Each structure stands twice: as structure tokens, then as C-alpha cells.
């Protein structure tokens, strides 16, 4: 955690503001997140969040991108460190996605819903779907037979099913372990070489 109301480097302040913005959404929802409420929570003057993000819309999109960037980084690290086979890579993908979903799923969907209020972000779901499909393919392709590619429709089916099961988890209808098990089984069945 970063110290509040103290002089810190610009990059550290930026990270602090992102962390606090996620916290505001988790605790109070997206309606409570404004650049002014963020400044108050950080204990800084009001111009500081404006210098970093410009406006609320840019802040929301930055939060969306931040979540995706962290997921991709964690996925890449996990695959590199723990995967020696396609089965390992599928397990790492499912576990990493579920961990991110458990930590940020509710706030990420809240941010997406808030962004849809802006005309330029009405297709934000497509951006999320594209990110998921590209990340899944990049994670698994090193373990697939040479020159094989996962069909786009298969990637989209996995995305849809994973989001549905993740929603069941958020609504406490299924456990995290059940999500990982079912998502792993689904991926394996759909891409089985």
C-alpha cells in the first residue's frame, strides 16, 4: 500500500490512484468513483487525478485495461513457470483466469457497464472477448501440434461458457474449484487434438 498524502514519484502515484479506484468500486460501486472522490480517498489535491486520467471516462477505461494487463501478465508468468504440456497450460489458464475473476470480476463487469454509457465504448464487450480469445490462444498454442490453430468460433464458445460459469461463481452458485475443473474440461474437449 502506498502512503496517503505524501510526496511520491509520479508513477507510484499513478499506481496508488488505480489501486484506490479499484477499492472505491469494490466498496461503493462505480457511481461513487469520480476524480474528486479519488482525490479525497488518496488524500491529494483534486488536480492530481485529473493530470493522470483527464476525466472519469478515461479513468474507467484505464481500470479496464489495468485488469486485462494484470491478467495477461499473470497468465504468461504461470504458463512459463508451470506448463510442460497442453494439460498443464489449460490448468494454468483456468486457475489464473479464475483467480483474476474472483479478485476483479465483479468490479470489472461494473466498469464495463459504466463504460457502455459512453458511445465510444458501447462495444467494450467485444474488446473483452477479443482479449480473452487472444490470451487463450497465445497461452495454449505452444503446446498444440505444429501449424494447428484454435478456430475462432471455438475460442468464442470457451469465452461465453467461461463468463457464464464465472457469473455463477460470483453469485455463489458454484465454487472456484468447480469453475476451474469445468472450464479446464471444456477447453480440453473443445480443442482436443
Amino acid at each position: 500500500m502506498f502512503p496517503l498524502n505524501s510526496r511520491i514519484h509520479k508513477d507510484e502515484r499513478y499506481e496508488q490512484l488505480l489501486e484506490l479506484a479499484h477499492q472505491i468500486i469494490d466498496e461503493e460501486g462505480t457511481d461513487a468513483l469520480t476524480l474528486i472522490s479519488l482525490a479525497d480517498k488518496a488524500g491529494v489535491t483534486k488536480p492530481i487525478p485529473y493530470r493522470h486520467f483527464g476525466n472519469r471516462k478515461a479513468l474507467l477505461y484505464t481500470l479496464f485495461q489495468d485488469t486485462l494487463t494484470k491478467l495477461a501478465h499473470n497468465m504468461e508468468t504461470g504458463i512459463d513457470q508451470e506448463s510442460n504440456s497442453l494439460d498443464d497450460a489449460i490448468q494454468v489458464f483456468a486457475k489464473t483466469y479464475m483467480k483474476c475473476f474472483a479478485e476483479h470480476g465483479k468490479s470489472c463487469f461494473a466498469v464495463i457497464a459504466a463504460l457502455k454509457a459512453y458511445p465510444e465504448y458501447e462495444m467494450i464487450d467485444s474488446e473483452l472477448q477479443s482479449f480473452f480469445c487472444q490470451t487463450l490462444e497465445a497461452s495454449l498454442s505452444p503446446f498444440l501440434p505444429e501449424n494447428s490453430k484454435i478456430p475462432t468460433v471455438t475460442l468464442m464458445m470457451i469465452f461465453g461458457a467461461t463468463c457464464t460459469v464465472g457469473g455463477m461463481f460470483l453469485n455463489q452458485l458454484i465454487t472456484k474449484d468447480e469453475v476451474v475443473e469445468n472450464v479446464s474440461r471444456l477447453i480440453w474437449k473443445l480443442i482436443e487434438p
Side-chain angles (χ1 to χ4, degrees):
M1 187 68 165
F2 299 95
L4 296 180
N5 206 12
S6 63
R7 293 194 59 79
I8 59 176
H9 189 271
K10 182 180 177 184
D11 293 340
E12 291 175 327
R13 179 66 71 198
Y14 178 81
E15 290 301 320
Q16 177 207 30
L17 293 172
L18 283 179
E19 187 177 304
L20 290 171
H22 281 295
Q23 186 179 349
I24 290 169
I25 291 172
D26 287 342
E27 294 172 0
E28 305 172 52
T30 54
D31 289 344
L33 179 64
T34 65
L35 294 173
I36 293 170
S37 68
L38 183 57
D40 291 342
K41 182 100 170 161
V44 298
T45 60
K46 294 182 182 16
I48 289 176
Y50 283 92
R51 274 190 291 230
H52 284 282
F53 306 107
N55 57 45
R56 181 176 186 271
K57 173 176 54 174
L59 171 59
L60 287 168
Y61 189 71
T62 301
L63 289 170
F64 172 74
Q65 290 286 25
D66 182 58
T67 300
L68 298 188
T69 300
K70 286 177 180 167
L71 174 61
H73 173 74
N74 291 342
M75 193 76 63
E76 186 178 303
T77 301
I79 296 286
D80 288 347
Q81 294 175 354
E82 301 174 35
S83 298
N84 296 313
S85 67
L86 180 59
D87 190 48
D88 290 345
I90 289 170
Q91 284 292 316
V92 168
F93 182 87
K95 286 177 184 174
T96 305
Y97 184 79
M98 192 55 234
K99 181 177 187 286
C100 184
F101 206 91
E103 292 173 359
H104 304 292
K106 194 173 264 187
S107 64
C108 186
F109 286 123
V111 167
I112 289 169
L115 281 169
K116 287 181 180 180
Y118 302 101
E120 61 269 39
Y121 293 119
E122 64 187 351
M123 299 300 291
I124 195 79
D125 289 329
S126 296
E127 189 172 338
L128 177 63
Q129 180 182 31
S130 178
F131 167 82
F132 178 94
C133 293
Q134 289 170 4
T135 303
L136 177 60
E137 186 169 43
S139 299
L140 303 184
S141 62
F143 305 99
L144 295 174
E146 192 172 332
N147 296 324
S148 66
K149 187 169 171 48
I150 303 170
T152 301
V153 70
T154 301
L155 293 167
M156 290 170 49
M157 288 180 353
I158 294 168
F159 169 74
T162 302
C163 284
T164 300
V165 174
M168 290 174 67
F169 167 77
L170 290 177
N171 290 313
Q172 301 177 341
L173 300 172
I174 190 170
T175 67
K176 189 184 332 187
D177 290 340
E178 289 173 313
V179 172
V180 171
E181 179 186 334
N182 285 290
V183 167
S184 298
R185 189 176 325 126
L186 173 74
I187 294 171
W188 186 257
K189 290 285 185 194
L190 289 176
I191 67 163
E192 198 169 16

